[in-house]
Amino acid sequence: MALSLLAESTNLTTGDVLTIINNLLLMLGGVAAFIIGMNMMGSGLEKAAGKPIRRLMGKATKNRALGILTGAAVTAIVTSSSATTVMIVGFVNVGLMTLVQATSLIMGANIGTTITAFISAISTTGGELEITSIFAFVAFVGALMTMISKNEKVKRVGVILEGLGLIFVGMNTMSSSMASLIKDTDSNISIAIQNLFVAIGNGKDTLTWEIIVLFLLGALITGLVQSSAAVTAIIISLASAGLISFPMAMFIILGTNVGTTVTAMLSSIGTSVNARRTAMVHLMFNIIGSVIFMIVLAFTSKYVSAWLEKGIGIVSWEIAIFHMCFNVLTTLLLAPFTKYLVKLACLIVREKKGKAGEENREPLDPRILKTPAIAVGQTRKEFSRVMDDMYSNYKLALDMLTTRNVSEKEKFMEDKQKIDDTCDYLTRFLVKLSLSELSEIDENKVSSFYHVASDIGRIGDYSENIVNYAEKMADEDISFSEHAWAEVREMDTLLTRLYGYAEKAFGGIDASYLSNAEFVEKDIDKMSDKMRESHLRRTSENRCTPEAGAIYLELTINLERIGGHLKNIADSIRMYAGTTSLSTAKGL
């Protein structure tokens, strides 16, 4: 009944309406296959190139040009400007990147995302043997590799091939479904569709108000789908099928560049001021570039269209080249004004009065989970920071013991609570990270980090015990002999050396320090035995009170266990960094 009414109101037969519905459903299926393929390929490439990505992001702070190139490279690898931008917002939120550095990366991300348009354009190119057929077979090969092989690297390549194949299959499905609607130019469906787009503007004459309609259409759809790549693929399919003209496609493309900023804006909710400013820079950059091009193209679209058609002649490639030129030219135009974009973002997103520097932030932004390899690297950096705090707190506890002045106990407890809270947060973060698609090495890293969190917590507990001993000694006026204090200082020296090796091994993933750590831990064990023997001797010679002796023995046990946990932290890298023979020990 509903189909009959719709057919009557549009001068289409019921069969025509069913044909349109069927083809629209096929197109949506093609979009789904395209998005899944992009995600699979991007995820596989990101896992395979995790270390290069981390190195690229680390070098992004050098200068503006390098930042732009880095943003483009990373986006080309993960095949998603939204993923890159969300990751950048996360980095700014945790203080790993400045707003100016982030702006350069964002500009580069806009260039890198154009690779998806070229992939879509390739998929519309035919020949004696359709390219889609070739890549459909590639997807099949990839599926076999992931199902049959037990080798992690082979499976990773299989996922990449699966994703690549699905991209072309999805594009073919979209193009075929659209083309079938107008296979008969005299059919009711073809005439109705042509009338629909003529009503908006067919691009043969200079566009006026239609520009805004097309621009908003691109922005709205992209904002809803949250994937400019998918919308660009749809545009290429429509243009290849002859449903929209190239000038119309240009203005929709401009809209997609604004719509894609929605993801970054959403990701900035609840973040720091600078993170929100980063998302605002992304929005302003894309709006300014799109508006400039929209004004220029309003008067020149037919000339640009004619020039590209004469030089290329394939509408899908024309769209891809226009997309790339737009983003490159926008970057070249606005890159010199980076600082002014940042200042404007600071004016729009103001810092709340009385809150400067007081914003609480989480140790790691969940948004970087979109790029697991980078998230693993940032998690290590956070653990290294916590290790520094943990060691500082241990030194504070020992200082209170040696001076028998516990005035800093409140500060110690506050810092310990922060360390414990951070370790709890990082552990929860690791749970989420472990659910991501990780390489075998990264899986081993994540597994080892759980143990590191536990070791840091235990060292904090033993440090708290030392504070309690200090408080008891101060309250009951208990002290050690000079010989006993000398032994405590000697043990502390060994622990300091072990901490240094543990920090270098863990923070730098440097297995060459494991031998050093092993030697020092053995020295700590020997020192612990020496302290016990000395204590027994002093007790037998009545040079030590029972109260002091009890504390001294407990202190010895706690210091030895701190050394054991420091050694555990160093050894945690053995799961993925290999081992080093004792003969390679440094400085010993």
Side-chain angles (χ1 to χ4, degrees):
M1 182 66 180
L3 290 178
S4 299
L5 292 174
L6 180 60
E8 291 176 6
S9 63
T10 56
N11 294 321
L12 297 173
T13 66
T14 301
D16 290 335
V17 175
L18 284 171
T19 299
I20 292 173
I21 292 174
N22 286 331
N23 282 279
L24 286 176
L25 291 176
L26 279 173
M27 187 197 74
L28 293 176
V31 172
F34 179 86
I35 293 175
I36 292 171
M38 291 293 293
N39 288 338
M40 288 179 69
M41 188 177 74
S43 175
L45 287 169
E46 191 272 333
K47 285 169 65 178
K51 287 186 178 179
I53 288 177
R54 290 196 289 270
R55 285 196 293 269
L56 280 171
M57 297 299 276
K59 293 178 180 178
T61 59
K62 301 294 182 181
N63 57 59
R64 186 183 304 159
L66 192 56
I68 292 173
L69 291 174
T70 300
V74 171
T75 304
I77 291 171
V78 300
T79 62
S80 172
S81 62
S82 295
T84 303
T85 307
V86 168
M87 180 171 60
I88 293 169
V89 170
F91 284 171
V92 173
N93 188 48
V94 298
L96 297 175
M97 192 177 291
T98 68
L99 189 54
V100 174
Q101 292 163 355
T103 301
S104 298
L105 285 168
I106 286 171
M107 292 179 178
N110 277 19
I111 296 174
T113 194
T114 60
I115 191 174
T116 58
F118 283 99
I119 292 174
S120 300
I122 292 172
S123 68
T124 62
T125 305
E128 292 185 4
L129 181 62
E130 290 289 337
I131 193 168
T132 300
S133 302
I134 297 172
F135 279 98
F137 178 71
V138 167
F140 173 73
V141 172
L144 287 180
M145 291 170 69
T146 56
M147 288 188 297
I148 297 174
S149 178
K150 295 183 179 180
N151 185 285
E152 180 68 23
K153 291 183 179 179
V154 174
K155 283 189 173 184
R156 195 180 305 156
V157 173
V159 170
I160 294 172
L161 294 180
E162 278 187 272
L164 182 61
L166 282 175
I167 289 172
F168 285 88
V169 171
M171 277 298 304
N172 181 262
T173 302
M174 284 188 278
S175 299
S176 300
S177 63
M178 292 298 99
S180 66
L181 289 177
I182 57 168
K183 59 185 176 182
D184 181 359
T185 55
D186 295 324
S187 68
N188 292 333
I189 296 176
S190 179
I191 294 171
I193 292 174
Q194 291 173 25
N195 290 337
L196 172 64
F197 285 109
V198 166
I200 298 176
N202 58 21
K204 293 180 180 179
D205 301 314
T206 300
L207 302 181
T208 53
W209 66 269
E210 294 91 344
I211 292 175
I212 299 175
V213 173
L214 295 168
F215 176 83
L216 293 178
L217 183 65
L220 178 62
I221 295 175
T222 305
L224 292 173
V225 177
Q226 292 195 30
S227 174
S228 61
V231 178
T232 301
I234 294 172
I235 295 169
I236 288 176
S237 296
L238 292 172
S240 298
L243 293 175
I244 62 174
S245 65
F246 174 67
M248 293 175 68
M250 286 193 294
F251 292 107
I252 300 175
I253 287 289
L254 294 180
T256 64
N257 279 271
V258 175
T260 194
T261 63
V262 169
T263 306
M265 296 299 291
L266 291 174
S267 75
S268 69
I269 296 173
T271 60
S272 67
V273 167
N274 276 340
R276 296 197 299 274
R277 288 170 176 168
T278 302
M280 181 56 66
V281 166
H282 186 213
L283 176 64
M284 291 189 302
F285 175 78
N286 284 23
I287 287 179
I288 292 171
S290 297
V291 169
I292 291 173
F293 266 75
M294 196 159 58
I295 293 172
V296 172
L297 290 173
F299 303 99
T300 63
S301 61
K302 60 182 179 181
Y303 303 111
V304 173
S305 176
W307 179 68
L308 285 173
E309 185 176 355
K310 183 179 180 180
I312 301 171
I314 303 174
V315 71
S316 58
W317 283 93
E318 291 171 16
I319 293 172
I321 290 172
F322 168 75
H323 191 206
M324 181 188 69
C325 291
F326 160 68
N327 283 291
V328 170
L329 291 174
T330 300
T331 299
L332 292 175
L333 180 65
L334 297 181
F337 303 99
T338 297
K339 292 184 179 179
Y340 298 101
L341 281 173
V342 170
K343 287 182 179 179
L344 183 57
C346 292
L347 287 174
I348 296 173
V349 182
R350 293 181 177 274
E351 193 140 24
K352 293 181 180 179
K353 294 182 179 180
K355 296 290 183 180
E358 296 179 5
E359 284 192 291
N360 295 321
R361 66 173 179 85
E362 293 178 328
L364 280 173
D365 196 309
R367 293 161 183 79
I368 64 172
L369 287 169
K370 289 181 176 291
T371 50
I374 292 177
V376 171
Q378 296 308 127
T379 304
R380 178 183 305 282
K381 290 183 179 180
E382 286 300 325
F383 272 118
S384 291
R385 288 193 181 95
V386 178
M387 283 175 62
D388 288 339
D389 294 338
M390 172 265 306
Y391 176 71
S392 297
N393 231 26
Y394 154 73
K395 295 295 285 187
L396 177 60
L398 197 63
D399 183 62
M400 283 190 276
L401 181 78
T402 55
T403 61
R404 291 188 296 172
N405 181 354
V406 292
S407 59
E408 296 289 324
K409 181 179 180 179
E410 185 175 349
K411 179 183 182 304
F412 171 91
M413 295 305 298
E414 288 177 357
D415 291 344
K416 182 179 183 299
Q417 187 61 52
K418 289 178 182 178
I419 293 169
D420 290 342
D421 290 344
T422 301
C423 283
D424 288 342
Y425 175 84
L426 291 176
T427 300
R428 294 194 300 272
F429 186 85
L430 288 173
V431 173
K432 297 176 183 177
L433 186 54
S434 64
L435 298 176
S436 305
E437 293 185 19
L438 298 169
S439 66
E440 185 177 358
I441 290 178
D442 282 342
E443 284 180 355
N444 289 335
K445 289 177 182 177
V446 169
S447 178
S448 71
F449 290 163
Y450 284 109
H451 299 293
V452 171
S454 176
D455 287 317
I456 291 173
R458 295 302 296 150
I459 292 173
D461 293 337
Y462 292 131
S463 298
E464 183 179 358
N465 290 342
I466 295 174
V467 173
N468 293 333
Y469 302 151
E471 190 171 37
K472 185 174 182 179
M473 291 175 71
D475 291 342
E476 300 180 13
D477 195 23
I478 299 172
S479 184
F480 299 150
S481 67
E482 276 303 317
H483 189 268
W485 283 123
E487 292 173 341
V488 172
R489 287 192 294 270
E490 187 175 350
M491 176 66 93
D492 175 53
T493 299
L494 291 172
L495 287 173
T496 298
R497 288 177 62 193
L498 181 55
Y499 168 74
Y501 292 138
E503 193 276 331
K504 289 175 182 176
F506 177 79
I509 319 180
D510 192 343
S512 64
Y513 287 100
L514 297 182
S515 300
N516 305 64
E518 187 171 344
F519 277 126
V520 176
E521 192 206 16
K522 289 180 179 178
D523 288 340
I524 289 173
D525 291 339
K526 292 176 183 177
M527 189 62 207
S528 178
D529 292 338
K530 177 182 174 182
M531 291 173 73
R532 289 187 179 92
E533 291 171 2
S534 298
H535 164 69
L536 291 175
R537 186 174 61 253
R538 286 190 295 270
T539 301
S540 64
E541 295 174 357
N542 294 320
R543 290 190 290 122
C544 178
T545 65
E547 295 79 10
I551 293 176
Y552 188 81
L553 280 177
E554 290 295 327
L555 175 64
T556 301
I557 294 171
N558 279 262
L559 293 176
E560 182 184 16
R561 288 177 179 172
I562 287 175
H565 287 292
L566 287 174
K567 177 63 164 48
N568 289 344
I569 292 174
D571 281 342
S572 67
I573 70 168
R574 289 187 189 273
M575 296 180 67
Y576 48 86
T579 58
T580 306
S581 64
L582 295 179
S583 62
T584 62
K586 298 179 180 179
L588 288 173

